[in-house]
Structure formats: C-alpha cells, structure tokens
Amino acid sequence: MASFRHVFVVIIGALIVSLMFAYVVVAGEGQSARTDEGLLIVTSIPVIADIIGEIVGDRGVVLSIVEPGVNVNTYELTPRDSTIIAEADLFFYVGYGAEEALGIYASAIRGGEGVVRILDLMDERGVIIDGNPYFWMNPLLAAVMAEEVGKVLSSIDPEGSEYYLERALKFKEEMERLDREIASILSKVPEDKRKLVTVRDTMRYFAERYGFEVVGYVTARAGTYEPSARDGVELAKAIVSNGITVVFIEYEEAGTTLREVVETVVDELGIESVGFIYVETYDPSRGVNGYRDMMLENARLIAKSLSGSEAHSSVMLAGGTIPIPLEPLEYKFMWRGLLALLASMIAASLVGAFAVLRGWAIFGDALSHGALAGLVVAYLAGAGFYLGALSAGLLVALIVASVERRTPLRADVIIAVTFATMLSIAILLLSKAGGAAISIEDVLFADVTAVAPEIMYRTLILSAIVVVFAVVVRYQLMMYVIEPTMAAALGLRTGFIHYALLTLLALTIVTSFLAIGYAPTIASMMIPPAAAYLLSRRPGEFIVKSVAIAALSAIIGFFVAYYLDTNAGATAVIIAALIFAVAVVSYKRI
Amino acid sequence: MKVEVRGKSACIVRNVTVKYGSNPHPALENVSFEASLGEMVMIAGPNGGGKSTLLKVIVGLVKPVKGNVKVLGRDPFKDPAIRRLIGYVPQITDLNLSAPLTLRDLVMLPRLAIKSSPWKGPRKEDIESVERSIKELGLEDHADKRISELSGGMLARALIARVLALDPILYVMDEPFESMDWESEEITMKVLRREKERGKLIIVSEHHISDDHIDYFDRTLLLKRRIIAEGRPRDVIEVYRRLGGS
C-alpha cells in the first residue's frame, strides 16, 4: 500500500506543479490582441506585415507572428499566437519554405477560412519567375502585392474599399520613388561588377530590376535544405570563373549550415563575405525599421561592396591538374570535410560498439536533443555553442548514468525519458523566447562540406582520445558492458568505467554533431556495430569490424556523394546501411 | 598483492546485518561464521533465507549495515582489489547473452580484464589456463560456440570454467548446480574437490544437491536470515527437513 500512496502523491504533486507553471506562463499574457474597433490582420513574417500595414492604415492593426530579427525556421507555435491567429480577420502568408508551415498552422487553426497565400495572388498576376518566392525584392512588385492585398481587404471590409484603393495607389507612388532611389544608389556599381553571389537564390527579382546577374548561390531551394557534397565546389567554381570578390549573406542565413558552406568557400578562396542583405525580416536593433529601410540598406551595402576599385580576385582554378577521381579534393575545405567525417565516424562507431552491447543504442538520440536544449540556453545566454551543447550533453549523460545506477529501470526507458524531456525543454525555451535570430538546428546539424579548420582539429583530437581510451581499457570495457555484475565482482572500478564511457559518448556525439551533423553521428553509433555484430563471432573482431565499416562508409560515401551530387554525411550513412543489409542477407544462423 | 592467508582468517563474517531499501525486515541478521583455506562449506536454507545476500557480502557487492567482513584480511567492500582473489559465480547473471562472444572468450575475458596489460594482449599463461579450465569442465568441443548457442547446463559449466581460469584463492558460488544435470554436477564437484585439495576455500550455496555429493562438504550452515544450524551436512539437512524444508 505504501508504494501506491507514493504514486498517488507523486501524481498529485506533478499536477499541482504543472498548474502553477501554466499559471505563471499565462499570467500577464491574458489580454487579447483584438482591438474593439477595426480589423485584426495577422501575417507570417515582418516584411509582409510592414507592406500590408501600409494598406490597412488606421482601419486596423497588422501583426507578424514571427517577430522582426527572428529566423522563421526557429519559430515554435505558442498557445497565445494560436489565439491571435484564430481571432484575426485575415491571415496572410507568402507560401515558401519553412514560412509555409505557418500558413498550414493557420489553416488548421481557422478551419481554412480567411487564410491568404500571397504567392497565389502574385501568380495570378503572372509576375512570379520559376516559382522563386522573393518577389518583394523588387519594390514595384511589392506595390503589386499591396494592390492585391487591398482587393482582399475590400472583400471583407467593403466600407473601406475606397480607402484601401487610395492607400494602394499612394503606396505604388512611394514604391516608384523607392525604386528610383535604389537605382540611383546602385548607379555607381560598374557594369562588370554587377554580379551577385548569395546564400540562397533571393536576389532574382532585384537583379532583374536593377541590371545585375545572379551568378551563384548554394541552393535555389527556399525550404529546408541539406547541402550536397558538390555544392561548395560548384559555388567555388562559379566564384572563380566570374571573378567574384564579395559574397552577400542574407540576414536569415546568419547562423545556418548554408552560410557555413559559403564562409568555408570564401575563406579558402581568400575573398570576402559581407552581410547582411535583408529578405524576410528586418532588424530594428540594427536601425532597420521596415520594408523601405531594408531595401535601401541592401542597395547601399551592394553599392558599397561592389564599387570599390580593388583588383579582381586573383584566385585561379586548379582544375585540370587533378585526376578525375580525386576531383572532390581539389579544395582544402573538402579535405577537411573528409577528415572530419572519417574521424567522427570512427570515434562514434567505436564508442557505439560498446554502447550497443550495454543496451545504450538509443543514447545518441537523448544526447542530440539534450544538446539542442543546451544550444538554445547558450544562444539565449550569449555563450559559446560548443560549450552549451557539451554541458547539456554531459548533463544528459550524468542523469542517465546516475538514474541507471540508482534504480532498476532499464537503460532504454531512462534514455527515452531524458530525451523527450530535453527536447521539450528546447521547444519550451524557443517558444518562450519567441524564436531566435539564428537557426539553432543549423548550428547543431552541421555539414561535412562546411567544416572550419578548428572544428576539424577538435574532431581529430577527440577521435584520438576515444581510440586511445578504448584500446587501453578494452578488456575492462568489454567485461563491463557484457556483464556489469561480474565486472564489479572482479574488483574492476565499474563506477569509473560507467561514467567514463557515458562521458566519452557525450563528447563524441556533441563533437561529431557540430562537425558532420546529426544523422551521420547517430547512424555511425549504431549501423556499423549492428553490421559488425552480424559479421563477427568474437569481441575483438566485432570492435575492429565496427570501426572498419564506419571508415569505409565515410570514404566511399564522401566520393559517391560528390559524383551523385548528394549530401555527404547522409550518403556515408546509406553506404553503411547497405553494408548492414548485405550482412543481414548473408547472415546464417548456426 | 600482499594478503594474509593464514588458516582461520581466510573468510571472517562477524555480526553481519543487511537491509535492503525500505524493507523493515533484514535480509541477514547478526550472521557470524569463519572459514579456513582447504575447507568446503555449504550454505543451505530456504528461498529468501539470505544465501545469495551472504555470498554477495563476502564478495563485496553488498554493504552490511552492521558488522564486518574480512576476506584474506581485507574488507572486500572497501578494498575491491581483494575481489580479484575471489572466484564468484552469481546465481542470476546479467551477462548479455547476445554479445558476440564464444565460450572461450567468456572464459578468457575476466582473466584479461584483471591480469593482462593493454599492450600485450593474452599471454601464454592466460591461454594455457583458459584451455585447461575449459578441458577440465569437459567443454573443449564447445569452446568455439557463441554463448547464445549454449544450453543452460553448458553455460553453467562455462561460468565455473571462467572462475577456475582466474585461479582464485576463494570460490564463492551461488547455486551453481541449479541448471546442471547429474553429469555436469559430477564434473564440477570433481574440479571443486581438487581445488579444495590444493588448499582453496570453497563456499557454495545450495538449495537442492544430489545425495551423492553432500558428503563432499566439510560443513553446512543452515541460513534463515540467521544461522540456525551448523554442522555436518547430513545432520544439518536432517534438521532442515524436520523444520519443514525439502
């Protein structure tokens, strides 16, 4: 009966704590966004809100769900925002990439009523080129959008239709003035310098309007994108062949993997990257207070960066001297990627082999999400990301390790509990902070083709530590992971081994994440050991084969990815999975 | 390692009381006994009588709330190094049976874990000791089988072989015959008697043992939270049966 009473007390306690928590979070946020008079128009991103605000004028209020300066990718829906979306008279969104998700949320919340996709309106006017969503980078098209929005507003507020028409005309005149102003700012850019390289294909409409040519970007895709092994190399080639000296970084890409790809290439070629170009948001903290400001700011940045008289890039293409199979290694950053991938996969598969025998196979998931929470805290506290991720990773390891030693709960249960909790903490922090200016996931989920030298060295050092530790205490480790009680009865320091193994796991996973990304790290911990398990009868053989399969997958995956133009980390994982599949098919039960 | 190996002091359990968690009833209450090298002691008693707990106390896996234990002059709980001289066979093992391990690896691994240098790997004496132990327990035809392919009786013998390969001074075995048939029990008994002749102390907990082997033990303790009888195996078993045990 005593234990039943305990459970009861715990449940009641948890309920009280969650109610108090809910009260604290909701308190002070109870007031509705609704004003008693006028329209409430809600939009996805600030730039759209600003343009629509020009039309709505004093007939209502326009709000953006994502605040200025915040990356739409990091936005997490809160109950309060859902309420605002539900109460709005209309919800406007553009309809591209991660931003489209907000339109999907809004449709769900509002049962599909009063949700307007701006790209559909613009498509009907025939102004969209190849589905590229960034039409507002041409102010004349922003005026077109304003006119269309005016029509939609008139349909729900007929009394105001004349007012909206008048505002749209006035806005159009304003945009024509802005257009002339931008053209005049850009007039000092010489003809041969009118070439743009950006992170994504955001400057298409701008370039077309002002006589520029977009010659390179990492990807034309607007949504979530993992760089392929070739993206960096192709970007480098475009930069070199066009004599580019400056690459422009979009504000939204400040902390993304794609930006890292650009910076890696820029570093190696010895040219410059400048920021920021404002596309989907502006940043009042930098004195950029709306659509007009950001367009002028962009024009000034481009004019300043491209009108200098410095000589063209002196970078030469090394191509032609490198034999075809080694073409991916033409650039140093590709070497760094290969080494980081190899070192990470070796370390992860080695600790993974022991972890799998101990029943900790899913530990990587707990750590990745623990690290995510740590990154959010580090970001909000302005601390270093590696430090944040590592502290959170070690905390997860410590929690799992101590709960496992104190209770009879199985490791997989403890790991699953920890991982779900840490993930929720990350989401909670992000939602409370209203999102972040950078994409936290991008920091966590790095990419093989964008490995900075210090990250490569960090990865190599860590792998060396893991390999040395595993080799020196291999017998004790093996004894411990296959039979902890016997290890203790033999007088081994099982407490030390237990915590050391979990600490190394945490170190390996966090370091690998920040070097090669999430999927390759988690996969290397499990797939090579799983394949090796089927191909081995003895413990030494098992460990050696795990590491060999990981190393082989890294090398083959890297080159295959280059020639297939796919993501290197993911390709390496697929190679390992293929080896696993072969092992499954050829496995014979004795 | 310097250890005291004088006769009576090989294993001393003094006034030991063990409690688990919030359970108000102690698993062991004021238990005392001594055993010397060259002895073969049987701990008998009902399920839940504290046999496994007593053995874990001797091995240093469980800390008594009262009393103390000295194995070869040291406290095995505070001084884990002394455990290397104890060959422990647990009743319930948490061995990961799906691990990629052959019977030979299973016998070899503990020896490597406590005796070998990381740079050299298995030495000649390690290999000889392992092969000898495997042979003595009649497992040589199964040495290359993965442990997941062994029968219960075979695995039980393998667990004896691996403590034998450690060449310990004390054997502490928790119901080692439980999943053994008569033949395995016979083989194991033969090995244990030889070890006793070599001056080792052997402590075995047993619930039911075949009549043929009872007389090999020098002494039997009847344990039911406390030691309620001690003496020649047949006499103690007789007491046990009269008290309603089987």
Side-chain angles (χ1 to χ4, degrees):
Chain A
M1 277 321 278
S3 65
F4 183 76
R5 207 168 58 223
H6 277 142
V7 171
F8 186 71
V9 169
V10 167
I11 291 174
I12 294 296
L15 273 175
I16 292 171
V17 169
S18 28
L19 283 175
M20 282 166 59
F21 185 70
Y23 177 77
V24 170
V25 170
V26 169
E29 297 189 354
Q31 69 269 47
S32 163
R34 256 235 85 97
T35 49
D36 286 339
E37 283 163 45
L39 296 175
L40 173 61
I41 306 295
V42 177
T43 72
S44 54
I45 52 177
V47 63
I48 297 303
D50 196 54
I51 296 170
I52 296 177
E54 295 294 330
I55 309 304
V56 172
D58 48 22
R59 288 191 71 84
V61 173
V62 182
L63 290 178
S64 167
I65 284 295
V66 177
E67 282 168 36
V70 166
N71 187 325
V72 64
N73 289 304
T74 65
Y75 173 77
E76 299 285 354
L77 194 64
T78 64
R80 187 162 82 122
D81 287 349
S82 298
T83 312
I84 294 173
I85 291 172
E87 286 177 353
D89 292 297
L90 283 172
F91 180 85
F92 285 95
Y93 71 108
V94 182
Y96 70 99
E99 191 260 6
E100 183 141 37
L102 293 180
I104 296 167
Y105 289 154
S107 287
I109 291 167
R110 300 171 59 89
E113 290 293 310
V115 178
V116 183
R117 186 172 184 267
I118 293 169
L119 276 181
D120 290 342
L121 300 179
M122 300 303 281
D123 238 350
E124 275 170 34
R125 294 287 295 260
V127 295
I128 295 302
I129 311 169
D130 296 341
N132 186 311
Y134 308 101
F135 63 86
W136 63 91
M137 298 310 281
N138 172 353
L140 300 182
L141 294 183
V144 172
M145 173 193 135
E147 191 189 327
E148 290 302 314
V149 168
K151 289 182 199 162
V152 177
L153 292 174
S154 301
S155 71
I156 61 153
D157 180 22
E159 277 175 37
S161 59
E162 233 164 87
Y163 177 81
Y164 298 133
L165 191 64
E166 194 185 306
R167 301 276 300 183
L169 279 173
K170 204 176 135 226
F171 184 68
K172 192 178 171 206
E173 281 166 25
E174 218 177 285
M175 287 301 102
E176 282 163 358
R177 264 201 307 282
L178 177 64
D179 175 58
R180 285 193 297 274
E181 214 174 323
I182 292 172
S184 122
I185 293 170
L186 294 171
S187 63
K188 62 175 174 176
V189 179
E191 209 48 47
D192 64 329
K193 285 266 201 162
R194 294 186 162 238
K195 289 173 179 170
L196 295 175
V197 175
T198 47
V199 179
R200 291 193 196 244
D201 189 11
T202 49
M203 297 303 276
R204 186 88 175 248
Y205 298 94
F206 181 96
E208 203 185 51
R209 176 70 197 153
Y210 302 109
F212 281 74
E213 189 192 348
V214 175
V215 298
Y217 39 76
V218 183
T219 176
R221 293 272 314 276
T224 314
Y225 179 78
E226 293 297 333
S228 84
R230 214 154 156 170
D231 288 333
V233 173
E234 308 237 301
L235 183 68
K237 285 184 174 161
I239 288 172
V240 171
S241 62
N242 284 288
I244 296 291
T245 53
V246 177
V247 174
F248 295 94
I249 307 292
E250 292 92 327
Y251 183 84
E252 295 73 29
E253 303 294 338
T256 65
T257 311
L258 294 185
R259 192 225 175 136
E260 281 169 28
V261 172
V262 171
E263 295 293 350
T264 309
V265 169
V266 160
D267 272 358
E268 172 137 2
L269 297 180
I271 62 168
E272 204 189 339
S273 73
V274 296
F276 291 108
I277 284 183
Y278 297 92
V279 179
E280 59 193 29
T281 188
Y282 43 86
D283 187 352
S285 72
R286 290 164 166 268
V288 185
N289 285 311
Y291 174 70
R292 208 184 111 85
D293 273 7
M294 75 174 220
M295 291 302 287
L296 287 173
E297 191 66 26
N298 291 349
R300 284 189 208 111
L301 180 74
I302 290 169
K304 189 175 132 225
S305 310
L306 295 182
S307 57
S309 56
E310 73 268 40
H312 274 197
S313 163
S314 57
V315 183
M316 299 298 287
L317 250 189
T321 58
I322 296 235
I324 288 295
L326 293 179
E327 197 183 280
L329 298 175
E330 193 177 329
Y331 295 98
K332 280 199 201 104
F333 66 82
M334 296 295 276
W335 272 105
R336 291 203 295 270
L338 176 59
L339 283 179
L341 183 66
L342 193 59
S344 296
M345 286 186 71
I346 287 174
S349 66
L350 188 54
V351 286
F354 289 105
V356 164
L357 289 184
R358 185 69 183 84
W360 290 341
I362 61 160
F363 192 64
D365 285 300
L367 267 171
S368 66
H369 295 92
L372 185 62
L375 282 177
V376 176
V377 172
Y379 171 77
L380 297 175
F385 288 130
Y386 185 60
L387 196 72
L390 198 58
S391 322
L394 290 174
L395 180 71
V396 170
L398 197 70
I399 292 171
V400 172
S402 55
V403 175
E404 200 192 358
R405 276 180 82 83
R406 274 161 189 279
T407 69
L409 282 173
R410 279 168 51 107
D412 56 351
V413 176
I414 304 165
I415 289 167
V417 167
T418 317
F419 131 65
T421 310
M422 291 305 265
L423 179 60
S424 302
I425 290 175
I427 294 174
L428 184 140
L429 288 173
L430 272 180
S431 61
K432 187 67 190 145
I438 57 148
S439 165
I440 302 284
E441 282 92 342
D442 269 314
V443 175
L444 185 59
F445 307 151
D447 194 80
V448 176
T449 48
V451 178
E454 64 273 18
I455 292 177
M456 181 193 68
Y457 290 127
R458 193 166 76 195
T459 312
L460 290 179
I461 291 168
L462 172 95
S463 302
I465 293 173
V466 168
V467 171
V468 169
F469 176 80
V471 168
V472 171
V473 297
R474 62 191 182 280
Y475 300 130
Q476 291 81 1
L477 261 181
M478 185 57 80
M479 189 71 236
Y480 175 68
V481 295
I482 66 156
E483 199 179 358
T485 305
M486 190 61 188
L490 288 167
L492 298 181
R493 294 168 62 191
T494 51
F496 170 77
I497 299 174
H498 184 78
Y499 286 101
L501 183 58
L502 279 168
T503 304
L504 271 191
L505 264 171
L507 261 171
T508 307
I509 290 167
V510 171
T511 309
S512 296
F513 272 165
L514 298 179
I516 64 168
Y518 168 76
T521 303
I522 302 294
S524 316
M525 265 193 68
M526 286 184 281
I527 300 178
Y533 175 84
L534 296 175
L535 298 170
S536 328
R537 292 183 66 80
R538 314 198 56 180
E541 192 187 356
F542 166 66
I543 300 292
V544 169
K545 282 184 180 168
S546 295
V547 173
I549 291 169
L552 204 65
S553 309
I555 295 170
I556 297 177
F558 184 85
F559 286 95
V560 168
Y562 182 81
Y563 289 105
L564 292 183
D565 194 15
T566 50
N567 182 272
T571 310
V573 173
I574 301 299
I575 301 290
L578 286 175
I579 297 174
F580 174 73
V582 171
V584 169
V585 171
S586 60
Y587 181 72
K588 284 191 198 73
R589 230 170 225 293
I590 305 148
Chain B
M1 179 186 300
K2 268 186 78 176
V3 289
E4 274 182 72
V5 285
R6 277 178 289 128
K8 272 293 178 192
S9 60
C11 176
I12 304 168
V13 174
R14 207 166 279 147
N15 306 325
V16 161
T17 298
V18 172
K19 281 186 178 171
Y20 285 121
S22 55
N23 190 344
H25 303 291
L28 292 177
E29 201 173 347
N30 210 19
V31 171
S32 299
F33 84 96
E34 292 191 16
S36 16
L37 296 176
E39 248 195 313
M40 200 152 151
V41 181
M42 185 203 292
I43 317 271
N47 288 330
K51 298 192 298 288
S52 292
T53 303
L54 178 59
L55 298 192
K56 282 180 187 162
V57 167
I58 296 171
V59 180
L61 295 176
V62 167
K63 188 182 193 291
V65 289
K66 263 190 236 149
N68 61 68
V69 180
K70 286 268 188 294
V71 172
L72 305 168
R74 310 267 188 102
D75 179 341
F77 190 84
K78 289 185 187 143
D79 193 356
I82 200 71
R83 297 183 203 159
R84 297 179 179 202
L85 302 175
I86 305 171
Y88 175 55
V89 180
Q91 183 194 10
I92 300 166
T93 164
D94 54 4
L95 172 66
N96 177 355
L97 283 172
S98 64
L101 221 58
T102 62
L103 188 153
R104 179 177 282 113
D105 298 317
L106 180 71
V107 176
M108 176 73 90
L109 193 56
R111 207 183 146 94
L112 292 177
I114 63 174
K115 298 198 174 185
S116 122
S117 120
W119 314 115
K120 291 187 186 139
R123 298 158 303 177
K124 199 164 155 247
E125 63 254 47
D126 295 325
I127 295 165
E128 281 170 6
S129 171
V130 166
E131 295 305 324
R132 199 170 49 237
S133 306
I134 290 174
K135 209 166 159 216
E136 278 189 79
L137 283 147
L139 294 166
E140 58 272 42
D141 294 338
H142 308 285
D144 290 318
K145 281 190 181 162
R146 242 167 114 148
I147 52 171
S148 53
E149 299 153 13
L150 298 174
S151 69
M154 214 70 89
L155 183 66
R157 267 199 263 169
L159 296 181
I160 308 285
R162 77 170 174 177
V163 290
L164 191 63
L166 291 170
D167 196 22
I169 294 175
L170 239 84
Y171 287 86
V172 177
M173 303 176 153
D174 201 351
E175 305 210 12
F177 307 123
E178 208 184 12
S179 52
M180 288 188 188
D181 57 10
W182 190 87
E183 191 202 345
S184 294
E185 190 177 311
E186 176 76 12
I187 293 170
T188 307
M189 267 330 246
K190 210 174 118 198
V191 170
L192 291 182
R193 287 177 68 200
R194 203 222 36 235
E195 289 297 292
K196 172 189 138 101
E197 302 291 298
R198 291 178 61 209
K200 309 292 179 73
L201 166 57
I202 293 151
I203 302 174
V204 176
S205 83
E206 215 25 79
H207 191 57
H208 19 232
I209 188 167
S210 43
D211 230 32
D212 309 347
H213 299 134
I214 282 184
D215 291 325
Y216 294 149
F217 290 91
D218 300 303
R219 263 197 300 158
T220 295
L221 307 175
L222 185 54
L223 189 67
K224 209 173 165 185
R225 285 215 330 256
R226 311 152 182 264
I227 294 180
I228 56 172
E230 179 174 357
R232 276 185 38 230
R234 272 187 203 280
D235 300 342
V236 173
I237 300 288
E238 188 53 37
V239 172
Y240 183 29
R241 288 196 178 130
R242 247 184 278 152
L243 285 173
S246 56

